[in-house]
């Protein structure tokens, strides 16, 4: 249980990613945030400054200067958490960051738990539930595109679209309820044809949101990618080449990336997550092992496979056989020929003739990697995202939308089967209920208010 | 002079009568107090029972062992099952009743109920000791002791009647208002409010020209409310009539608007949006050129007619002039004008789910005192209050109905959690599990419960169990018995539904929208003979359960899904005021109502989805 007393604490955490950068931002939030910071800050008296001001000064441990910093002040409720908040921009050394945080803790702050800033923001009424979840996503956002999707959701894009949808459904439900409860009244009821048009329209929007989920998921979690190839094909060399190229190692476990085959690599703003296919590595004949079911499952969960082979160590028969197997797998794949620098020209030409879409690289020399990257990006369809549409990235929202779709389809089936309105109403209510799981429940009072404001009812 | 009663009921309207009857049936010593023994169980407004959602309530009262269904059946002059063209959840029984016989039947039923005593006098106060009610005080200063008190004062608490610019105290026309109780309750810490309702003029049926109206007949095969065999359907019925207002009527009514207490601010209470006065209809919906008027007889023999749809508090001369411009009313003679009445109520958020007040132990409220409107709503509350008052004096567990059990459960849950700003009337749309809360299965839902508390008798229980078992057997058989193409295709063609290619079980045919069990009886002699063994009610029940199986299952799943929230208990001592993250309104409402579960919290008005999320976070989910 989240205790009341914890809520009174002032919490501190590093707000920028761990690791080396030019600057780092340390964030404090809570009643005493400004007071605590003031204790270790030499410059202006922070407690007598206005909200939304920035101050230059030094952080000192006694007489020792730890760093020159910029301090931004946010006075409650005008902050992200709606509490007093301070952001300290220090130089981006992990030593400095650790020193400053330790100092703040010694002066009364407490390390924040994961997500606690967002939780406070939410508890203090900063967001609705959908937005709060988007903020959590934003905090975990690792790349440009996922950042944008989260931002879009936070600006209310998602809530807005759902709200609009719900408004239409509520009207729809009211019309049905009107007919059910006030059957004796002398009022005109909505035509079933109009209702059908409306439901179909709603379905299209819901479908769109649902289909954005896969894309949204890819943006958030990265495109699951497998490099398939024999151990000597240059798999880890390629991985390292891509990693070094981007200098953007975003693995959660710092310092361990080299030991893992699973890595996240940011290519053109999209995260690609390289899945650990340990099963593959242990088999001498890699592509043979595609037949092994466990490995095959791994491969199937990938959105993209890079089929990597050594030009000097592979013959055309082997390549054709492997490609045939990959085609049967049904996952998009790229044919990547490695070690171009050591390749035999005749074989390269033969390969170009047989498989014109082969990408030739030299991972060890970091040559032609741009070709590979643009081909990889081309396989990921980001059109929808670029048009700025709402993208669903949250599994809970996705589930609710799928159930909304089910219920809306049930409404259509009901219309087809010419069931009476009480049954239609049930499916409409289910639709509203599932939408409500995202944005909050609709009550019958809302329906009745809608009816009474529009129709003359009663004897 | 008086014993120490178990339950004292103040007021003998629909709520009071049900409360007194139920408590006495359950073995309590009951005193029923009324200002006038001759006006027990008056139908103050329209001479009808039931209707959409309300008919379901009457069936539920009956299934539990209450009396409203039986009394309505005994006094009905017309029966209609409304909404027959819609699904079974919407079928709603409604009767026109003989006003005088209705009252007489109730009085006789109460006189024949052992353990019910009567006292005719105004009750002016409660005897309260240590936050517990211990009796009542009468207008001549008598003190009557009782372990619990049920207040069912209707519109009598400081009732104020308006006709045009005239206003006078009264609980109904010709009857005085009740004084003292509101003032005492407010002093005890209750919050009180004011509501308004109205009633139309009554006219002399001999002065109307029915040839200018549409006739509204009763059902060809009338049914009845009660599940018991104590009553029979009508063999002869009265008709009603429908006519319409017109522009001329509206213009005439408008001439009195400046003298209307509705518009000149004299009436302060809030009236219902769905039962507006005719002047309100004209005012709010100026574009409508006509409004429906139902002409309803007040009884078998009387010539008095109730002008449903013409509720008004305009000056009587304006009422009269306008009325005579309605087709068929050219020579109408008025018996008495319509009027509006304002009365005190106590926002029901001050009650527990048993209808006992939170402030004073053993004090119960039922009916219009809780801000509801309607005979059926009142009667059902009276029943629940009477049951719980009786159970409490017997130190037994309270009797509560869930929203998924009954309309009565929906009604009380709404009242307690949301309160009401206007007179609360039941609609089917208020019930999220409407498809399960049907009039046809009220007995299957509730009779066992009614029996377990000693209200529904053995005969009722046995009848219900027979129906339940027969239905299960019939459904099982229909899912197994097959019909062949040779045997029935001809018949299917006649019924304009698709023929079959191979043998098919009967339930599959019943699922077709065009087919019912009665049709199938005619398709095949053998099946027809087999089915004719079954009671009509059983056949209807089986047909509904088969035909709508998918929908009913889906709804049942929703009940179970939502019951998770219902099962999530909130600690009684939870300090909402300490949770500053809650919205100010949500915090206050939660503090006041102290919901027992997250589900209940979710239904409290003013508690936003964000508040709920915050609560869930605090409760560690």
């Amino acid at each position: 249980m989240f205790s009341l007393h914890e809520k009174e604490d002032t919490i501190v955490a590093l707000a920028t990613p761990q690791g080396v950068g030019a600057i780092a931002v340390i964030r404090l939030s809570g009643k005493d945030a400004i007071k605590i910071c003031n204790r270790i800050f030499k410059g202006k008296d922070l407690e007598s400054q206005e909200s939304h001001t920035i101050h230059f000064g030094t952080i000192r441990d006694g007489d020792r200067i730890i760093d020159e910093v910029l301090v931004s002040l946010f006075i409650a409720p005008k902050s992200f958490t709606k509490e007093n908040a301070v952001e300290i921009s220090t130089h981006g050394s992990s030593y400095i960051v650790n020193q400053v945080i330790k100092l703040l803790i010694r002066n009364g702050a407490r390390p924040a738990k994961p997500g606690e800033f967002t939780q406070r923001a939410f508890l203090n009424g900063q967001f609705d539930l959908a937005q709060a979840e988007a903020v959590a996503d934003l905090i975990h956002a690792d790349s440009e595109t996922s950042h944008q999707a989260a931002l879009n959701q936070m600006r209310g894009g998602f809530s807005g679209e759902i709200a609009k949808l719900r408004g239409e459904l509520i009207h729809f439900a009211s019309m049905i309820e009107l007919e059910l409860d006030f059957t004796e009244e002398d009022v005109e009821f909505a035509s079933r044809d109009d209702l059908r048009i409306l439901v179909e329209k709603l379905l299209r929007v819901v479908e769109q949101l649902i289909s954005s989920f896969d894309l949204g998921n890819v943006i958030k979690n990265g495109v699951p990618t497998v490099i398939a190839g024999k151990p000597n094909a240059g798999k880890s060399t390629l991985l390292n080449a891509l990693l070094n190229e981007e200098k953007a190692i975003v693995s959660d476990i710092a310092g361990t990336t080299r030991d893992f085959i699973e890595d996240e690599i940011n290519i053109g703003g999209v995260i690609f997550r390289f899945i650990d296919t340990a099963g593959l590595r242990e088999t001498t004949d890699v592509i043979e092992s595609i037949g092994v079911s466990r490995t095959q499952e791994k491969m199937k969960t990938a959105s993209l496979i890079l089929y990597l082979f050594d030009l000097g160590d592979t013959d055309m028969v082997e390549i054709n056989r492997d490609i045939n197997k990959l085609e049967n797998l049904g996952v998009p794949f790229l044919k990547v020929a490695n070690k171009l620098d050591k390749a035999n020209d005749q074989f390269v030409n033969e390969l170009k003739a047989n498989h014109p879409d082969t990408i030739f690289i030299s991972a060890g020399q970091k040559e032609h990697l741009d070709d590979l990257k643009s081909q990889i990006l081309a396989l990921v369809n980001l059109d929808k995202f670029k048009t700025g549409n709402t993208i669903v990235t949250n599994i809970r929202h996705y589930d609710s939308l799928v159930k909304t779709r089910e219920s809306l389809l049930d409404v259509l089936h009901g219309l087809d089967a010419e069931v009476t309105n009480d049954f239609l109403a049930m499916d409409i209510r289910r639709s509203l209920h599932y939408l409500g799981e995202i944005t909050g429940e609709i009550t019958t009072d809302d329906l009745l208010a809608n009816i009474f404001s529009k129709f003359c009812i009663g004897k | 002079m008086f014993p120490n009663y178990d339950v004292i009921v103040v007021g003998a309207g629909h709520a009071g009568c049900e409360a007194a009857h139920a408590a006495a049936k359950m073995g309590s010593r009951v005193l029923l107090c009324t200002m006038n023994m001759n006006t027990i169980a008056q139908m103050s407004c329209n001479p009808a029972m039931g209707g959409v959602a309300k008919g379901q309530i009457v069936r539920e009262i009956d299934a539990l062992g209450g009396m409203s269904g039986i009394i309505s059946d005994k006094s009905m002059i017309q029966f209609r099952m409304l909404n027959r063209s819609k699904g079974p959840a919407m079928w709603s029984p409604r009767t026109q009743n003989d006003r005088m016989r209705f009252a007489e039947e109730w009085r006789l039923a109460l006189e024949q109920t052992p353990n019910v005593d009567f006292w005719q006098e105004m009750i002016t106060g409660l005897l309260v000791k240590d936050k517990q009610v211990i009796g009542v005080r009468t207008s001549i200063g008598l003190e009557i002791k009782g372990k619990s008190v049920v207040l069912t004062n209707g519109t009598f608490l400081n009732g104020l009647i308006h006709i045009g610019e005239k206003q006078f105290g009264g609980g109904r026309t010709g009857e005085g208002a009740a004084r003292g109780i509101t003032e005492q309750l407010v002093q005890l810490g209750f919050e009180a409010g004011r509501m308004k309702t109205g009633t139309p003029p009554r006219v002399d049926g001999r002065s109307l020209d029915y040839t200018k109206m549409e006739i509204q007949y009763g059902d060809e095969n009338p049914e009845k409310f009660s599940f018991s065999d104590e009553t029979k359907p009508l063999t002869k019925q009265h008709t009603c009539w429908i006519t319409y207002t017109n522009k001329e009527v509206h213009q005439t009514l408008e001439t009195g608007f400046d003298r209307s207490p509705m518009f000149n601010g004299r009436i302060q209470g809030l009236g219902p949006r769905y039962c507006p006065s005719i002047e309100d209809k004209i005012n709010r919906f100026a574009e409508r050129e006509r409004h429906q008027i139902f002409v309803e007889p007040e009884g078998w023999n009387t010539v008095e007619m109730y002008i449903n749809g013409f509720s008004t508090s305009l000056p009587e001369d304006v009422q009269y002039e306008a009325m005579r411009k309605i087709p068929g009313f050219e020579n109408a003679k008025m018996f008495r004008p319509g009027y509006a009445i304002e009365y005190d109520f106590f926002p029901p958020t001050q009650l527990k789910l048993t209808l006992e007040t939170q402030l004073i132990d053993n004090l119960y409220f039922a009916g219009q005192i809780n801000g509801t409107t309607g005979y059926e709503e009142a009667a059902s509350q009276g029943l629940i209050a009477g049951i719980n008052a009786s159970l409490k004096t017997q130190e037994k567990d309270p009797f509560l109905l869930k929203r998924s059990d009954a309309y009565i459960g929906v009604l009380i849950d709404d009242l307690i959690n949301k309160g009401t700003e206007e007179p609360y009337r039941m609609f089917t749309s208020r019930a999220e599990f409407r498809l399960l809360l049907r009039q046809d299965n009220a007995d299957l839902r509730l009779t066992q419960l009614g029996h377990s508390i000693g209200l529904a008798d053995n005969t009722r229980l046995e009848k219900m169990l027979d129906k339940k078992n027969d239905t299960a057997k019939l459904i099982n058989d229909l899912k197994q018995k097959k019909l062949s193409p040779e045997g029935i295709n001809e018949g299917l063609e006649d019924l304009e539904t698709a023929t079959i290619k191979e043998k098919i079980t009967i339930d599959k045919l019943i699922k077709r929208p065009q087919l019912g069990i009665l049709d199938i009886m005619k398709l095949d002699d053998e099946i027809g003979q087999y089915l004719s063994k079954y009671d009509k009610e059983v056949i209807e029940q089986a047909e509904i359960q088969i035909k709508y199986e998918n929908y009913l299952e889906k709804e049942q799943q929703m009940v179970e899904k939502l019951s998770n929230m219902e099962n999530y208990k909130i600690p009684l001592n939870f300090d909402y005021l300490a949770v500053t993250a809650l919205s100010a309104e949500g915090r206050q409402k939660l503090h006041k109502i102290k919901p027992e579960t997250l589900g209940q919290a979710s239904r409290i008005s003013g508690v936003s989805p964000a508040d709920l999320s915050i609560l869930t976070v605090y409760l560690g989910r």
Side-chain angles (χ1 to χ4, degrees), chain B residues 409-450:
Chain B
V410 174
L411 170 74
I412 293 175
D413 190 78
D414 275 354
L415 290 178
I416 304 315
N417 294 313
K418 296 183 180 151
T420 183
E421 306 267 294
E422 64 185 329
Y424 179 105
R425 176 185 145 182
M426 185 50 72
F427 300 109
T428 68
S429 52
R430 295 196 195 269
E432 51 276 67
F433 309 119
R434 172 166 58 198
L435 297 185
L436 302 177
L437 306 185
R438 306 187 307 272
Q439 59 88 28
D440 59 83
N441 68 359
D443 53 344
L444 302 178
R445 288 184 277 127
L446 300 171
T447 296
Q448 188 106 51
L449 293 173

Side-chain angles (χ1 to χ4, degrees), chain A residues 153-197:
Chain A
Q153 201 156 333
M154 207 175 126
R155 282 193 208 106
F158 185 58
S159 300
E161 194 142 356
I162 293 289
K164 190 170 139 245
L165 219 148
R166 237 162 56 101
E168 297 197 43
L169 254 186
I170 289 168
H171 177 71
F172 185 175
S174 309
M175 297 300 289
I176 296 264
E177 297 300 343
L178 173 69
E179 184 168 340
L180 292 174
D181 266 328
F182 304 99
T183 179
E184 295 263 278
E185 304 292 336
D186 191 18
V187 287
E188 296 223 351
F189 302 118
S191 87
R192 289 206 153 206
D193 291 342
D194 290 348
L195 296 186
R196 178 186 293 275
I197 291 168

Side-chain angles (χ1 to χ4, degrees), chain B residues 162 164 196-197 257 259-269 271-272 276-277 279-281 283 312-314 340:
Chain B
H162 299 262
K196 173 248 155 189
T197 187
F257 276 15
R259 287 184 288 154
S260 158
M262 285 284 296
F263 299 136
N264 64 17
R266 195 162 301 167
I267 290 181
Q268 279 141 21
S277 58
E279 52 266 36
D280 204 20
K281 289 185 201 179
N283 191 39
T312 176
S313 57
L314 288 168

Side-chain angles (χ1 to χ4, degrees), chain A residues 1-4 7-8 119 122-125 127-129 176-177 179-187 189 403 410 413-414 417-427 429-430 433-434 437 439-441 443-445 447-459, chain B residues 52-53 80 82-83 85-90 94 216 244 273-276 281 284-285 288 290-292 294 296 308-311 418 422 425 427-435 513 548 551 554-555 558 561-562 575 578-582 609-610 613-614 617-620:
Chain A
M1 192 187 271
F2 186 73
S3 82
L4 287 175
K7 224 193 127 263
E8 299 297 309
Q119 189 179 28
F122 173 61
L123 287 175
N124 291 326
F127 315 106
D128 71 21
L129 200 54
I176 296 264
E177 297 300 343
E179 184 168 340
L180 292 174
D181 266 328
F182 304 99
T183 179
E184 295 263 278
E185 304 292 336
D186 191 18
V187 287
F189 302 118
K403 286 181 181 136
D410 284 346
H413 294 154
E418 297 181 3
V419 302
T420 50
N421 278 353
D422 37 339
F423 296 109
L424 282 187
M426 187 193 79
D427 287 324
R429 280 178 174 221
R430 283 174 61 232
H433 171 79
Y434 288 122
E437 291 187 335
T439 52
E441 200 66 56
T443 66
T444 43
D445 289 345
L447 296 184
L448 289 170
N450 196 29
I451 291 174
F452 296 139
S453 65
K454 291 189 176 121
F455 302 96
C456 178
I457 298 298
K459 291 177 181 174
Chain B
V52 180
R80 285 167 64 214
L82 307 182
N83 274 336
S85 63
K86 303 195 169 79
M90 300 312 300
R94 183 180 193 273
Q216 194 173 39
Y244 297 90
R273 285 169 297 180
Y274 41 77
C275 191
K281 289 185 201 179
R284 282 177 52 207
F285 300 95
R288 289 281 298 272
R290 64 174 206 179
H291 294 276
Q292 265 182 321
F294 298 83
E296 302 175 350
N308 206 344
F310 206 70
S311 171
K418 296 183 180 151
E422 64 185 329
R425 176 185 145 182
F427 300 109
T428 68
S429 52
R430 295 196 195 269
E432 51 276 67
F433 309 119
R434 172 166 58 198
L435 297 185
Y548 306 106
Y551 282 98
K554 269 192 280 183
E555 186 121 309
M558 284 302 264
K561 180 173 186 292
L562 294 178
D575 185 3
V579 185
T580 47
L582 293 167
S613 310
I614 288 161
V617 172
Y618 270 95
L619 291 167

Side-chain angles (χ1 to χ4, degrees), chain A residues 244-262:
Chain A
N244 289 335
E245 184 81 4
E246 293 298 327
K247 292 191 185 65
I249 310 160
V250 284
S251 168
D252 284 333
I253 311 151
T256 57
T257 39
R258 292 302 164 276
D259 305 330
F260 283 77
I261 289 297
E262 178 148 5

Side-chain angles (χ1 to χ4, degrees), chain B residues 470-487:
Chain B
D470 286 355
T471 305
K473 184 174 178 303
L474 177 56
I475 290 175
N476 191 42
D477 285 353
L478 293 174
K479 285 188 170 174
Q480 282 172 19
K481 282 187 193 291
K482 288 185 174 177
L483 292 172
S484 62
E486 315 71 80

